[in-house]
Amino acid sequence: MDDKVSGGCWGNAQQVREQVKQSLEQSGLRVYDEPLLITSPLSSNLLITAQGSRGRQGICFGDIRVESYRSVLSNFEGVKVQHQAYNFSRSTIANSRKNLDAAFLEAAEEHTAAFAAEIAEGREDPAVKAVLAKSEGKEVNPLPMSALANIFRQSARAAADDKGSPAAR
């Protein structure tokens, strides 16, 4: 979740996050609390971004966006390029004299329902059904980005330790 709302205009970011997670899980989707190093062509990351502030007349205005993206590694003329490929994006603009809490919660619920519906519809595609059939019964444990970062940190520490050991001299 990326909260860029100021002026006391959004106070229920955690409630929105929990509601989105609950809605996705009720739709039968596995949810992880951090971005994943993609291990499956059927995995993606969901990002909720909110921006807003309070204007001079005291009115809060802002927008909330729900987007799904995948980390993609492309080969471009022999050069490997990693980028984010977005496959879902919805946003809502809102304003209120008090705050944007109710509007943002409602928008996030609507966008999450649309995201889950697109996934359900996609699962009806014959090619997707074939992939799902091949993976049925196989436990998939995606690797979170933080785990990958830890692997790199541990490797760097081990390399530094090896340089200082008598065997490395």
mmCIF file with all atom_site columns, all heavy atoms in Angstrom, residues 96-118:
data_model
loop_
_atom_site.group_PDB
_atom_site.id
_atom_site.type_symbol
_atom_site.label_atom_id
_atom_site.label_alt_id
_atom_site.label_comp_id
_atom_site.label_asym_id
_atom_site.label_entity_id
_atom_site.label_seq_id
_atom_site.pdbx_PDB_ins_code
_atom_site.Cartn_x
_atom_site.Cartn_y
_atom_site.Cartn_z
_atom_site.occupancy
_atom_site.B_iso_or_equiv
_atom_site.pdbx_formal_charge
_atom_site.auth_seq_id
_atom_site.auth_comp_id
_atom_site.auth_asym_id
_atom_site.auth_atom_id
_atom_site.pdbx_PDB_model_num
ATOM 1   N N   . SER A 1 96  ? -14.544 15.098  -0.223  1.00 0.00 ? 96  SER A N   1
ATOM 2   C CA  . SER A 1 96  ? -15.429 15.123  0.940   1.00 0.00 ? 96  SER A CA  1
ATOM 3   C C   . SER A 1 96  ? -14.994 16.248  1.865   1.00 0.00 ? 96  SER A C   1
ATOM 4   O O   . SER A 1 96  ? -13.816 16.572  1.947   1.00 0.00 ? 96  SER A O   1
ATOM 5   C CB  . SER A 1 96  ? -15.334 13.781  1.686   1.00 0.00 ? 96  SER A CB  1
ATOM 6   O OG  . SER A 1 96  ? -16.012 13.857  2.924   1.00 0.00 ? 96  SER A OG  1
ATOM 7   N N   . ARG A 1 97  ? -15.951 16.814  2.560   1.00 0.00 ? 97  ARG A N   1
ATOM 8   C CA  . ARG A 1 97  ? -15.620 17.860  3.533   1.00 0.00 ? 97  ARG A CA  1
ATOM 9   C C   . ARG A 1 97  ? -14.900 17.268  4.744   1.00 0.00 ? 97  ARG A C   1
ATOM 10  O O   . ARG A 1 97  ? -14.036 17.914  5.328   1.00 0.00 ? 97  ARG A O   1
ATOM 11  C CB  . ARG A 1 97  ? -16.877 18.581  4.013   1.00 0.00 ? 97  ARG A CB  1
ATOM 12  C CG  . ARG A 1 97  ? -17.486 19.458  2.954   1.00 0.00 ? 97  ARG A CG  1
ATOM 13  C CD  . ARG A 1 97  ? -18.398 20.509  3.594   1.00 0.00 ? 97  ARG A CD  1
ATOM 14  N NE  . ARG A 1 97  ? -18.909 21.402  2.575   1.00 0.00 ? 97  ARG A NE  1
ATOM 15  C CZ  . ARG A 1 97  ? -18.238 22.440  2.096   1.00 0.00 ? 97  ARG A CZ  1
ATOM 16  N NH1 . ARG A 1 97  ? -17.040 22.710  2.539   1.00 0.00 ? 97  ARG A NH1 1
ATOM 17  N NH2 . ARG A 1 97  ? -18.766 23.217  1.170   1.00 0.00 ? 97  ARG A NH2 1
ATOM 18  N N   . LYS A 1 98  ? -15.229 16.019  5.100   1.00 0.00 ? 98  LYS A N   1
ATOM 19  C CA  . LYS A 1 98  ? -14.652 15.406  6.294   1.00 0.00 ? 98  LYS A CA  1
ATOM 20  C C   . LYS A 1 98  ? -13.361 14.657  5.963   1.00 0.00 ? 98  LYS A C   1
ATOM 21  O O   . LYS A 1 98  ? -12.283 15.075  6.351   1.00 0.00 ? 98  LYS A O   1
ATOM 22  C CB  . LYS A 1 98  ? -15.672 14.465  6.937   1.00 0.00 ? 98  LYS A CB  1
ATOM 23  C CG  . LYS A 1 98  ? -15.236 13.878  8.244   1.00 0.00 ? 98  LYS A CG  1
ATOM 24  C CD  . LYS A 1 98  ? -16.327 13.015  8.850   1.00 0.00 ? 98  LYS A CD  1
ATOM 25  C CE  . LYS A 1 98  ? -15.814 12.377  10.139  1.00 0.00 ? 98  LYS A CE  1
ATOM 26  N NZ  . LYS A 1 98  ? -16.769 11.444  10.695  1.00 0.00 ? 98  LYS A NZ  1
ATOM 27  N N   . ASN A 1 99  ? -13.483 13.516  5.281   1.00 0.00 ? 99  ASN A N   1
ATOM 28  C CA  . ASN A 1 99  ? -12.322 12.715  4.890   1.00 0.00 ? 99  ASN A CA  1
ATOM 29  C C   . ASN A 1 99  ? -12.725 11.775  3.749   1.00 0.00 ? 99  ASN A C   1
ATOM 30  O O   . ASN A 1 99  ? -13.889 11.726  3.363   1.00 0.00 ? 99  ASN A O   1
ATOM 31  C CB  . ASN A 1 99  ? -11.726 11.941  6.071   1.00 0.00 ? 99  ASN A CB  1
ATOM 32  C CG  . ASN A 1 99  ? -12.693 10.948  6.678   1.00 0.00 ? 99  ASN A CG  1
ATOM 33  O OD1 . ASN A 1 99  ? -13.325 10.163  5.976   1.00 0.00 ? 99  ASN A OD1 1
ATOM 34  N ND2 . ASN A 1 99  ? -12.828 10.981  7.992   1.00 0.00 ? 99  ASN A ND2 1
ATOM 35  N N   . LEU A 1 100 ? -11.760 11.031  3.256   1.00 0.00 ? 100 LEU A N   1
ATOM 36  C CA  . LEU A 1 100 ? -11.983 10.148  2.103   1.00 0.00 ? 100 LEU A CA  1
ATOM 37  C C   . LEU A 1 100 ? -12.151 8.684   2.509   1.00 0.00 ? 100 LEU A C   1
ATOM 38  O O   . LEU A 1 100 ? -12.195 7.811   1.645   1.00 0.00 ? 100 LEU A O   1
ATOM 39  C CB  . LEU A 1 100 ? -10.802 10.286  1.130   1.00 0.00 ? 100 LEU A CB  1
ATOM 40  C CG  . LEU A 1 100 ? -10.559 11.704  0.624   1.00 0.00 ? 100 LEU A CG  1
ATOM 41  C CD1 . LEU A 1 100 ? -9.240  11.774  -0.137  1.00 0.00 ? 100 LEU A CD1 1
ATOM 42  C CD2 . LEU A 1 100 ? -11.713 12.183  -0.237  1.00 0.00 ? 100 LEU A CD2 1
ATOM 43  N N   . ASP A 1 101 ? -12.267 8.428   3.800   1.00 0.00 ? 101 ASP A N   1
ATOM 44  C CA  . ASP A 1 101 ? -12.312 7.054   4.304   1.00 0.00 ? 101 ASP A CA  1
ATOM 45  C C   . ASP A 1 101 ? -13.394 6.198   3.631   1.00 0.00 ? 101 ASP A C   1
ATOM 46  O O   . ASP A 1 101 ? -13.103 5.127   3.105   1.00 0.00 ? 101 ASP A O   1
ATOM 47  C CB  . ASP A 1 101 ? -12.518 7.036   5.816   1.00 0.00 ? 101 ASP A CB  1
ATOM 48  C CG  . ASP A 1 101 ? -11.325 7.576   6.589   1.00 0.00 ? 101 ASP A CG  1
ATOM 49  O OD1 . ASP A 1 101 ? -10.328 8.003   5.961   1.00 0.00 ? 101 ASP A OD1 1
ATOM 50  O OD2 . ASP A 1 101 ? -11.393 7.577   7.831   1.00 0.00 ? 101 ASP A OD2 1
ATOM 51  N N   . ALA A 1 102 ? -14.630 6.645   3.687   1.00 0.00 ? 102 ALA A N   1
ATOM 52  C CA  . ALA A 1 102 ? -15.734 5.844   3.140   1.00 0.00 ? 102 ALA A CA  1
ATOM 53  C C   . ALA A 1 102 ? -15.601 5.672   1.626   1.00 0.00 ? 102 ALA A C   1
ATOM 54  O O   . ALA A 1 102 ? -15.795 4.570   1.100   1.00 0.00 ? 102 ALA A O   1
ATOM 55  C CB  . ALA A 1 102 ? -17.080 6.485   3.481   1.00 0.00 ? 102 ALA A CB  1
ATOM 56  N N   . ALA A 1 103 ? -15.254 6.748   0.935   1.00 0.00 ? 103 ALA A N   1
ATOM 57  C CA  . ALA A 1 103 ? -15.116 6.678   -0.529  1.00 0.00 ? 103 ALA A CA  1
ATOM 58  C C   . ALA A 1 103 ? -13.990 5.748   -0.940  1.00 0.00 ? 103 ALA A C   1
ATOM 59  O O   . ALA A 1 103 ? -14.136 4.950   -1.871  1.00 0.00 ? 103 ALA A O   1
ATOM 60  C CB  . ALA A 1 103 ? -14.897 8.076   -1.105  1.00 0.00 ? 103 ALA A CB  1
ATOM 61  N N   . PHE A 1 104 ? -12.860 5.826   -0.235  1.00 0.00 ? 104 PHE A N   1
ATOM 62  C CA  . PHE A 1 104 ? -11.718 4.971   -0.575  1.00 0.00 ? 104 PHE A CA  1
ATOM 63  C C   . PHE A 1 104 ? -12.011 3.509   -0.244  1.00 0.00 ? 104 PHE A C   1
ATOM 64  O O   . PHE A 1 104 ? -11.623 2.615   -0.996  1.00 0.00 ? 104 PHE A O   1
ATOM 65  C CB  . PHE A 1 104 ? -10.457 5.448   0.136   1.00 0.00 ? 104 PHE A CB  1
ATOM 66  C CG  . PHE A 1 104 ? -9.749  6.592   -0.546  1.00 0.00 ? 104 PHE A CG  1
ATOM 67  C CD1 . PHE A 1 104 ? -10.289 7.248   -1.642  1.00 0.00 ? 104 PHE A CD1 1
ATOM 68  C CD2 . PHE A 1 104 ? -8.523  7.019   -0.083  1.00 0.00 ? 104 PHE A CD2 1
ATOM 69  C CE1 . PHE A 1 104 ? -9.625  8.300   -2.270  1.00 0.00 ? 104 PHE A CE1 1
ATOM 70  C CE2 . PHE A 1 104 ? -7.829  8.061   -0.695  1.00 0.00 ? 104 PHE A CE2 1
ATOM 71  C CZ  . PHE A 1 104 ? -8.388  8.694   -1.790  1.00 0.00 ? 104 PHE A CZ  1
ATOM 72  N N   . LEU A 1 105 ? -12.691 3.242   0.868   1.00 0.00 ? 105 LEU A N   1
ATOM 73  C CA  . LEU A 1 105 ? -13.035 1.864   1.221   1.00 0.00 ? 105 LEU A CA  1
ATOM 74  C C   . LEU A 1 105 ? -13.971 1.266   0.174   1.00 0.00 ? 105 LEU A C   1
ATOM 75  O O   . LEU A 1 105 ? -13.760 0.150   -0.312  1.00 0.00 ? 105 LEU A O   1
ATOM 76  C CB  . LEU A 1 105 ? -13.663 1.799   2.612   1.00 0.00 ? 105 LEU A CB  1
ATOM 77  C CG  . LEU A 1 105 ? -14.043 0.408   3.117   1.00 0.00 ? 105 LEU A CG  1
ATOM 78  C CD1 . LEU A 1 105 ? -12.818 -0.494  3.207   1.00 0.00 ? 105 LEU A CD1 1
ATOM 79  C CD2 . LEU A 1 105 ? -14.738 0.503   4.475   1.00 0.00 ? 105 LEU A CD2 1
ATOM 80  N N   . GLU A 1 106 ? -14.984 2.026   -0.213  1.00 0.00 ? 106 GLU A N   1
ATOM 81  C CA  . GLU A 1 106 ? -15.938 1.549   -1.226  1.00 0.00 ? 106 GLU A CA  1
ATOM 82  C C   . GLU A 1 106 ? -15.238 1.324   -2.569  1.00 0.00 ? 106 GLU A C   1
ATOM 83  O O   . GLU A 1 106 ? -15.457 0.309   -3.228  1.00 0.00 ? 106 GLU A O   1
ATOM 84  C CB  . GLU A 1 106 ? -17.072 2.566   -1.397  1.00 0.00 ? 106 GLU A CB  1
ATOM 85  C CG  . GLU A 1 106 ? -18.113 2.141   -2.405  1.00 0.00 ? 106 GLU A CG  1
ATOM 86  C CD  . GLU A 1 106 ? -19.217 3.178   -2.568  1.00 0.00 ? 106 GLU A CD  1
ATOM 87  O OE1 . GLU A 1 106 ? -19.433 4.000   -1.655  1.00 0.00 ? 106 GLU A OE1 1
ATOM 88  O OE2 . GLU A 1 106 ? -19.867 3.154   -3.635  1.00 0.00 ? 106 GLU A OE2 1
ATOM 89  N N   . ALA A 1 107 ? -14.398 2.255   -2.967  1.00 0.00 ? 107 ALA A N   1
ATOM 90  C CA  . ALA A 1 107 ? -13.683 2.117   -4.246  1.00 0.00 ? 107 ALA A CA  1
ATOM 91  C C   . ALA A 1 107 ? -12.763 0.902   -4.227  1.00 0.00 ? 107 ALA A C   1
ATOM 92  O O   . ALA A 1 107 ? -12.708 0.129   -5.190  1.00 0.00 ? 107 ALA A O   1
ATOM 93  C CB  . ALA A 1 107 ? -12.890 3.388   -4.549  1.00 0.00 ? 107 ALA A CB  1
ATOM 94  N N   . ALA A 1 108 ? -12.030 0.711   -3.135  1.00 0.00 ? 108 ALA A N   1
ATOM 95  C CA  . ALA A 1 108 ? -11.123 -0.433  -3.036  1.00 0.00 ? 108 ALA A CA  1
ATOM 96  C C   . ALA A 1 108 ? -11.900 -1.742  -3.105  1.00 0.00 ? 108 ALA A C   1
ATOM 97  O O   . ALA A 1 108 ? -11.464 -2.697  -3.760  1.00 0.00 ? 108 ALA A O   1
ATOM 98  C CB  . ALA A 1 108 ? -10.308 -0.355  -1.746  1.00 0.00 ? 108 ALA A CB  1
ATOM 99  N N   . GLU A 1 109 ? -13.062 -1.795  -2.460  1.00 0.00 ? 109 GLU A N   1
ATOM 100 C CA  . GLU A 1 109 ? -13.899 -3.000  -2.519  1.00 0.00 ? 109 GLU A CA  1
ATOM 101 C C   . GLU A 1 109 ? -14.370 -3.266  -3.952  1.00 0.00 ? 109 GLU A C   1
ATOM 102 O O   . GLU A 1 109 ? -14.320 -4.400  -4.431  1.00 0.00 ? 109 GLU A O   1
ATOM 103 C CB  . GLU A 1 109 ? -15.092 -2.869  -1.579  1.00 0.00 ? 109 GLU A CB  1
ATOM 104 C CG  . GLU A 1 109 ? -14.715 -2.962  -0.111  1.00 0.00 ? 109 GLU A CG  1
ATOM 105 C CD  . GLU A 1 109 ? -15.888 -2.706  0.837   1.00 0.00 ? 109 GLU A CD  1
ATOM 106 O OE1 . GLU A 1 109 ? -16.970 -2.282  0.387   1.00 0.00 ? 109 GLU A OE1 1
ATOM 107 O OE2 . GLU A 1 109 ? -15.695 -2.930  2.047   1.00 0.00 ? 109 GLU A OE2 1
ATOM 108 N N   . GLU A 1 110 ? -14.817 -2.220  -4.636  1.00 0.00 ? 110 GLU A N   1
ATOM 109 C CA  . GLU A 1 110 ? -15.282 -2.374  -6.021  1.00 0.00 ? 110 GLU A CA  1
ATOM 110 C C   . GLU A 1 110 ? -14.147 -2.823  -6.942  1.00 0.00 ? 110 GLU A C   1
ATOM 111 O O   . GLU A 1 110 ? -14.321 -3.722  -7.768  1.00 0.00 ? 110 GLU A O   1
ATOM 112 C CB  . GLU A 1 110 ? -15.865 -1.052  -6.536  1.00 0.00 ? 110 GLU A CB  1
ATOM 113 C CG  . GLU A 1 110 ? -17.208 -0.693  -5.956  1.00 0.00 ? 110 GLU A CG  1
ATOM 114 C CD  . GLU A 1 110 ? -17.691 0.684   -6.408  1.00 0.00 ? 110 GLU A CD  1
ATOM 115 O OE1 . GLU A 1 110 ? -17.104 1.267   -7.350  1.00 0.00 ? 110 GLU A OE1 1
ATOM 116 O OE2 . GLU A 1 110 ? -18.655 1.178   -5.795  1.00 0.00 ? 110 GLU A OE2 1
ATOM 117 N N   . HIS A 1 111 ? -12.996 -2.204  -6.798  1.00 0.00 ? 111 HIS A N   1
ATOM 118 C CA  . HIS A 1 111 ? -11.862 -2.535  -7.666  1.00 0.00 ? 111 HIS A CA  1
ATOM 119 C C   . HIS A 1 111 ? -11.354 -3.950  -7.389  1.00 0.00 ? 111 HIS A C   1
ATOM 120 O O   . HIS A 1 111 ? -10.983 -4.683  -8.315  1.00 0.00 ? 111 HIS A O   1
ATOM 121 C CB  . HIS A 1 111 ? -10.743 -1.515  -7.501  1.00 0.00 ? 111 HIS A CB  1
ATOM 122 C CG  . HIS A 1 111 ? -11.143 -0.112  -7.833  1.00 0.00 ? 111 HIS A CG  1
ATOM 123 N ND1 . HIS A 1 111 ? -12.120 0.198   -8.769  1.00 0.00 ? 111 HIS A ND1 1
ATOM 124 C CD2 . HIS A 1 111 ? -10.715 1.081   -7.353  1.00 0.00 ? 111 HIS A CD2 1
ATOM 125 C CE1 . HIS A 1 111 ? -12.260 1.508   -8.845  1.00 0.00 ? 111 HIS A CE1 1
ATOM 126 N NE2 . HIS A 1 111 ? -11.420 2.061   -7.996  1.00 0.00 ? 111 HIS A NE2 1
ATOM 127 N N   . THR A 1 112 ? -11.354 -4.340  -6.119  1.00 0.00 ? 112 THR A N   1
ATOM 128 C CA  . THR A 1 112 ? -10.927 -5.699  -5.763  1.00 0.00 ? 112 THR A CA  1
ATOM 129 C C   . THR A 1 112 ? -11.895 -6.722  -6.332  1.00 0.00 ? 112 THR A C   1
ATOM 130 O O   . THR A 1 112 ? -11.469 -7.763  -6.849  1.00 0.00 ? 112 THR A O   1
ATOM 131 C CB  . THR A 1 112 ? -10.827 -5.843  -4.234  1.00 0.00 ? 112 THR A CB  1
ATOM 132 O OG1 . THR A 1 112 ? -9.918  -4.852  -3.739  1.00 0.00 ? 112 THR A OG1 1
ATOM 133 C CG2 . THR A 1 112 ? -10.342 -7.222  -3.836  1.00 0.00 ? 112 THR A CG2 1
ATOM 134 N N   . ALA A 1 113 ? -13.179 -6.444  -6.269  1.00 0.00 ? 113 ALA A N   1
ATOM 135 C CA  . ALA A 1 113 ? -14.180 -7.360  -6.844  1.00 0.00 ? 113 ALA A CA  1
ATOM 136 C C   . ALA A 1 113 ? -13.980 -7.483  -8.355  1.00 0.00 ? 113 ALA A C   1
ATOM 137 O O   . ALA A 1 113 ? -14.073 -8.580  -8.917  1.00 0.00 ? 113 ALA A O   1
ATOM 138 C CB  . ALA A 1 113 ? -15.589 -6.874  -6.519  1.00 0.00 ? 113 ALA A CB  1
ATOM 139 N N   . ALA A 1 114 ? -13.675 -6.370  -9.017  1.00 0.00 ? 114 ALA A N   1
ATOM 140 C CA  . ALA A 1 114 ? -13.429 -6.408  -10.466 1.00 0.00 ? 114 ALA A CA  1
ATOM 141 C C   . ALA A 1 114 ? -12.175 -7.213  -10.779 1.00 0.00 ? 114 ALA A C   1
ATOM 142 O O   . ALA A 1 114 ? -12.149 -7.993  -11.744 1.00 0.00 ? 114 ALA A O   1
ATOM 143 C CB  . ALA A 1 114 ? -13.295 -4.981  -11.011 1.00 0.00 ? 114 ALA A CB  1
ATOM 144 N N   . PHE A 1 115 ? -11.131 -7.054  -9.960  1.00 0.00 ? 115 PHE A N   1
ATOM 145 C CA  . PHE A 1 115 ? -9.893  -7.804  -10.139 1.00 0.00 ? 115 PHE A CA  1
ATOM 146 C C   . PHE A 1 115 ? -10.152 -9.302  -9.988  1.00 0.00 ? 115 PHE A C   1
ATOM 147 O O   . PHE A 1 115 ? -9.742  -10.111 -10.834 1.00 0.00 ? 115 PHE A O   1
ATOM 148 C CB  . PHE A 1 115 ? -8.856  -7.320  -9.123  1.00 0.00 ? 115 PHE A CB  1
ATOM 149 C CG  . PHE A 1 115 ? -7.554  -8.050  -9.145  1.00 0.00 ? 115 PHE A CG  1
ATOM 150 C CD1 . PHE A 1 115 ? -6.726  -7.992  -10.252 1.00 0.00 ? 115 PHE A CD1 1
ATOM 151 C CD2 . PHE A 1 115 ? -7.140  -8.791  -8.046  1.00 0.00 ? 115 PHE A CD2 1
ATOM 152 C CE1 . PHE A 1 115 ? -5.498  -8.657  -10.277 1.00 0.00 ? 115 PHE A CE1 1
ATOM 153 C CE2 . PHE A 1 115 ? -5.927  -9.450  -8.055  1.00 0.00 ? 115 PHE A CE2 1
ATOM 154 C CZ  . PHE A 1 115 ? -5.105  -9.394  -9.172  1.00 0.00 ? 115 PHE A CZ  1
ATOM 155 N N   . ALA A 1 116 ? -10.854 -9.690  -8.929  1.00 0.00 ? 116 ALA A N   1
ATOM 156 C CA  . ALA A 1 116 ? -11.166 -11.101 -8.687  1.00 0.00 ? 116 ALA A CA  1
ATOM 157 C C   . ALA A 1 116 ? -12.038 -11.659 -9.812  1.00 0.00 ? 116 ALA A C   1
ATOM 158 O O   . ALA A 1 116 ? -11.851 -12.808 -10.238 1.00 0.00 ? 116 ALA A O   1
ATOM 159 C CB  . ALA A 1 116 ? -11.847 -11.270 -7.337  1.00 0.00 ? 116 ALA A CB  1
ATOM 160 N N   . ALA A 1 117 ? -12.975 -10.853 -10.315 1.00 0.00 ? 117 ALA A N   1
ATOM 161 C CA  . ALA A 1 117 ? -13.838 -11.300 -11.417 1.00 0.00 ? 117 ALA A CA  1
ATOM 162 C C   . ALA A 1 117 ? -13.025 -11.530 -12.686 1.00 0.00 ? 117 ALA A C   1
ATOM 163 O O   . ALA A 1 117 ? -13.269 -12.500 -13.424 1.00 0.00 ? 117 ALA A O   1
ATOM 164 C CB  . ALA A 1 117 ? -14.947 -10.277 -11.667 1.00 0.00 ? 117 ALA A CB  1
ATOM 165 N N   . GLU A 1 118 ? -12.050 -10.665 -12.953 1.00 0.00 ? 118 GLU A N   1
ATOM 166 C CA  . GLU A 1 118 ? -11.197 -10.856 -14.135 1.00 0.00 ? 118 GLU A CA  1
ATOM 167 C C   . GLU A 1 118 ? -10.376 -12.140 -14.009 1.00 0.00 ? 118 GLU A C   1
ATOM 168 O O   . GLU A 1 118 ? -10.175 -12.849 -14.994 1.00 0.00 ? 118 GLU A O   1
ATOM 169 C CB  . GLU A 1 118 ? -10.273 -9.652  -14.344 1.00 0.00 ? 118 GLU A CB  1
ATOM 170 C CG  . GLU A 1 118 ? -10.974 -8.480  -14.978 1.00 0.00 ? 118 GLU A CG  1
ATOM 171 C CD  . GLU A 1 118 ? -10.013 -7.383  -15.430 1.00 0.00 ? 118 GLU A CD  1
ATOM 172 O OE1 . GLU A 1 118 ? -8.798  -7.650  -15.596 1.00 0.00 ? 118 GLU A OE1 1
ATOM 173 O OE2 . GLU A 1 118 ? -10.496 -6.257  -15.624 1.00 0.00 ? 118 GLU A OE2 1
#
